[in-house]
Amino acid sequence: MPKQKTHSGAKKRFKVTGSGKIMKQGAGMRHNLEVKSGKKKRELNAEQVLAPADAKVIKKLLGK
């Protein structure tokens, strides 16, 4: 039986923590940054936990 390959787009965007949660970067950090406050930019730049429904799909793409 062949092995399932890891989705190369997903492996660049998500990481799995030791406890098995999927982490992602906040959306909205690509443009219009001069409009956003420093506080908002710091909050968006932090990694966020992915919603459980989405995490199930991403785990499958990552082969976990």
Side-chain angles (χ1 to χ4, degrees), residues 32-43:
N32 295 347
L33 296 175
E34 66 273 6
V35 175
K36 298 176 175 89
S37 68
K39 182 181 176 186
K40 176 54 73 177
K41 285 186 273 193
R42 284 192 302 277
E43 285 172 355

Side-chain angles (χ1 to χ4, degrees), residues 1-48:
M1 222 24 223
K3 294 180 181 177
Q4 181 174 346
K5 290 190 174 181
T6 303
H7 190 283
S8 57
K11 74 182 175 190
K12 295 170 191 171
R13 289 171 171 81
F14 304 102
K15 78 172 194 187
V16 184
T17 64
S19 61
K21 292 182 204 158
I22 308 287
M23 303 298 285
K24 68 170 185 113
Q25 185 177 1
M29 275 297 289
R30 293 289 177 235
H31 55 81
N32 295 347
L33 296 175
E34 66 273 6
V35 175
K36 298 176 175 89
S37 68
K39 182 181 176 186
K40 176 54 73 177
K41 285 186 273 193
R42 284 192 302 277
E43 285 172 355
L44 289 172
N45 205 32
E47 293 205 324
Q48 299 171 347

